[in-house]
Amino acid sequence: MKDFFRNILTGVDGDLSSKRLITLLSFVLVSVAFISNIFFDIPMKDYVWNGMLIFTGSGLGFTTLEHFSKK
């Protein structure tokens, strides 16, 4: 399991990528917010939800672009 997370967080050059770590954490926070909204009826402001989705989506997009720039 430790190797799985290390492989997820490893960048193109083989070092740990802070961009991937922040994107993974934002995905976890979006998931927690979604579950808390659905099951526990904890409301969330629309602008906060949209900001979290944009942040997560842009992070995933930038990490995808790393693979196309690989030499």
Side-chain angles (χ1 to χ4, degrees), residues 35-57:
I35 289 171
S36 66
N37 189 6
I38 296 295
F39 294 113
F40 301 115
D41 292 329
I42 299 173
M44 181 176 255
K45 299 284 185 186
D46 287 338
Y47 62 89
V48 175
W49 176 254
N50 291 335
M52 288 172 59
L53 287 180
I54 290 171
F55 187 72
T56 303

Side-chain angles (χ1 to χ4, degrees), residues 13-26:
D13 55 357
D15 293 334
L16 291 177
S17 173
S18 61
K19 184 180 356 177
R20 290 177 182 229
L21 177 66
I22 291 170
T23 302
L24 181 67
L25 289 175
S26 67

